[in-house]
Amino acid sequence: MSRSGEDAQGSGHRGAGIRGEARGSAPVPLSVLDLVNVGEGYTASDALAASTRQAALADARGFTRYWIAEHHSMPGVASSSPAVILAHLASHTNRVRLGSGGVMLPNHAPLVIAEQFGTLEALAPGRIDLGLGRAPGTDGATAAALRRTERLREGAEDFPQQLAELIRFLDDDFPQGHRYARIHAVPGPVQAQGAEARAAAHRPPVWLLGSSGFSAQLAGQLGLPFAFAHHFSAANTLPALDLYREAFRPSAVLDEPYALIGAAALAADDEKEAYRQVLTGALSMVRLRTGRPGLIPTPEEAEAHPFSPVERDFVDSWLGNVTYGTPDAVREGLDALVKRTGADELMLTANAHAPEARVRSLELIADAYALPAA
């Protein structure tokens, strides 16, 4: 990474654009991770319209950031192109930070990502986050199709190299003599007039995402913020956060560790409806894990599904990591999660059949924490 990550986040004091603000009675800043779920009987257009409403709600109620997760070849998920969706959301929001949760860097040429997120930064100055992961966000065959190669580059050696190259494109600071020294990511610092303007040029903060210890250690060593996927890797949460904090080295980006965790949470007006909605997400995951991905099933289909003992064990385990129920119950569960993990920020995600269930859940959670009224 250029300058050992020291200047890699652009100008401003350490933590600017990274550390969120806890609002209302929330113990930490609250954010949203959106997979743009598509349920049976709905279209991708319906799901994206709901995401637009949800982002506007997050903007109005004081959520810190709204991230889109990159996934591919999954009928029940319409978030294959985070940058495209974020550009749309930028035109429907004013304050909330918009970002990727994340871009799966091995799927893309670093220059392409630098150009995409430079463009987003130009569209919504000071509101863009660039979250990066090293998993494919899909199965191996799809990853190979995306990358046009059978060699999936996401190992301990390749990812740090890709990350360093991306940040050099973002900073426009390849050393003289480098084969990319005359290549510029545009929009970007090359367009700033004068040395002072270039030094002050804004660009998206880089976050590392992970579900194990690799990215946790790398983020700590580089002094970058870290986002952990607690919502599907709960057993690794505490070990990964410990690794991040132990490995952390102060940088110009951060003087102290800053870690958010993704938390599966769904609130409804009554507990039964909350269970009906989260069960649809659980059945969808059963089908995905057994090679049968599809649209998110209806609550009726999920309730009538004849779960095998193995499937029932999986569902029970999956739902054990989802905070769901009435708004008060969800608030209590999220408060306990913060105490248990020491997370600096919670990023809420909900897999549900009905688009309106996702929007309603966010509204109820905002009310439960007395976030500023729209």
Side-chain angles (χ1 to χ4, degrees):
M1 176 176 290
S2 60
R3 299 188 296 279
S4 299
E6 291 285 315
D7 304 316
Q9 301 287 0
S11 61
H13 64 277
R14 287 190 286 182
I18 296 172
R19 298 186 181 281
E21 177 185 349
R23 294 183 170 91
S25 61
V28 295
L30 300 178
S31 295
V32 180
L33 175 65
D34 189 359
L35 276 64
V36 196
N37 291 133
V38 184
E40 289 279 358
Y42 295 99
T43 66
S45 295
D46 296 328
L48 288 164
S51 292
T52 304
R53 294 193 297 275
Q54 187 169 249
L57 175 62
D59 187 56
R61 299 299 299 270
F63 285 81
T64 297
R65 60 193 98 239
Y66 195 97
W67 283 4
I68 301 295
E70 177 186 344
H71 292 83
H72 299 277
S73 194
M74 298 180 186
V77 176
S79 59
S80 59
S81 301
V84 176
I85 298 172
L86 294 171
H88 172 73
L89 297 182
S91 67
H92 289 78
T93 56
N94 297 298
R95 297 176 296 177
V96 69
R97 297 191 64 86
L98 302 170
S100 54
V103 162
M104 301 296 105
L105 184 55
N107 291 344
H108 311 277
L111 176 58
V112 171
I113 300 306
E115 291 174 334
Q116 289 178 352
F117 279 77
T119 301
L120 287 169
E121 180 64 30
L123 289 169
R127 289 207 291 135
I128 302 300
D129 296 327
L130 175 50
L132 301 168
R134 67 186 183 101
T138 186
D139 61 274
T142 305
L146 282 166
R147 305 174 195 181
R148 300 185 64 82
T149 178
E150 295 300 323
R151 179 172 180 258
L152 302 186
R153 301 174 59 213
E154 56 199 58
E157 178 182 351
D158 290 323
F159 182 74
Q161 290 178 346
Q162 291 174 312
L163 176 62
E165 182 179 309
L166 170 59
I167 289 180
R168 285 205 180 274
F169 277 125
L170 288 170
D171 289 338
D172 197 43
D173 72 344
F174 282 100
Q176 188 173 2
H178 192 282
R179 61 175 177 162
Y180 295 154
R182 298 179 64 183
I183 299 175
H184 309 289
V186 177
V190 70
Q191 295 165 315
Q193 301 298 313
E196 290 187 9
R198 283 175 60 85
H202 228 359
R203 69 128 168 107
V206 170
W207 291 68
L208 293 194
L209 281 59
S211 58
S212 62
F214 179 90
S215 292
Q217 286 185 300
L218 184 60
Q221 291 165 0
L222 298 176
L224 298 177
F226 177 57
F228 186 80
H230 173 81
H231 53 294
F232 66 80
S233 188
N236 292 324
T237 301
L238 294 181
L241 293 181
D242 286 344
L243 281 172
Y244 171 60
R245 292 163 181 151
E246 291 168 3
F248 188 84
R249 300 292 180 267
S251 69
V253 174
L254 287 171
D255 52 1
E256 296 178 345
Y258 191 84
L260 70 75
I261 61 172
L266 188 137
D269 292 290
D270 63 75
E271 186 173 354
K272 180 179 179 181
E273 180 58 23
Y275 177 76
R276 278 165 49 84
Q277 289 296 333
V278 297
L279 187 61
T280 68
L283 177 56
S284 179
M285 287 303 302
V286 167
R287 291 172 172 171
L288 178 65
R289 296 290 178 91
T290 54
R292 298 171 292 142
L295 301 177
I296 307 294
T298 65
E300 293 74 20
E301 183 180 358
E303 288 180 321
H305 182 78
F307 290 100
S308 70
V310 172
E311 290 176 338
R312 175 52 64 184
D313 286 346
F314 175 86
V315 168
D316 290 345
S317 176
W318 182 263
L319 293 183
N321 192 40
V322 179
T323 303
Y324 64 91
T326 63
D328 287 344
V330 170
R331 184 190 67 240
E332 291 171 6
L334 294 177
D335 287 351
L337 179 60
V338 171
K339 289 181 180 179
R340 190 163 69 250
T341 62
D344 298 298
E345 183 174 329
L346 286 183
M347 179 162 276
L348 311 179
T349 187
N351 292 338
H353 167 260
E356 287 304 328
R358 294 190 285 126
V359 180
R360 180 60 175 160
S361 174
L362 194 65
E363 182 179 36
L364 291 173
I365 292 172
D367 289 344
Y369 279 115
L371 298 189

